[in-house]
Amino acid sequence: MSDTPPESADSPRFDEMTRDIAEVPAVEVIVTVAVNLMSAAAVKLGLTEEGDKYKDLDEARKLIHALAGLLDGSATEISSFHAAPLRDGLKSLQLAFREASVVPDEPGQGPGEKYTGPVYG
């Protein structure tokens, strides 16, 4: 446990954090969240050096679905410069999920396919 008390809304550090986030463009926040979702999904798919140690396909499904929803919802807000590599990463995760599943979902029923359409492996 840390001896540092939790941040409160009236602390100077909280005010500094608020100013910092206020200066970040929305596109950067969206891309950062997307990259974090992608990274977490990759871990849950067992695609890291640790392999199966953290593999959890149920958790991976949730993360991939959330990523697809974020990208679908923000498509008109972020440029194709930012969106294209994120969509490629999403498709790679969807394919990896399909390959890792013992009983693969029907096309169009996999994680995030509600937003992206069917992914074929």
Side-chain angles (χ1 to χ4, degrees), residues 5-87:
E7 300 290 336
S8 67
D10 57 342
S11 75
R13 179 71 182 122
F14 184 82
D15 291 340
E16 182 181 319
M17 289 171 29
T18 301
R19 279 192 305 274
D20 289 347
I21 198 70
E23 296 171 4
V24 178
V27 170
E28 190 172 326
V29 173
I30 293 166
V31 169
T32 299
V33 169
V35 169
N36 285 329
L37 287 168
M38 291 174 81
S39 298
V43 169
K44 297 297 183 176
L45 286 169
L47 301 177
T48 62
E49 290 180 11
E50 292 86 10
D52 289 345
K53 182 177 179 181
Y54 300 108
K55 189 173 183 177
D56 184 335
L57 294 183
D58 184 52
E59 290 290 299
R61 176 184 294 277
K62 293 171 188 171
L63 292 162
I64 294 167
H65 191 77
L67 174 62
L70 174 65
L71 294 181
D72 183 60
S74 63
T76 60
E77 305 301 325
I78 60 176
S79 68
S80 59
F81 174 79
H82 294 291
L86 295 173
R87 281 192 302 266

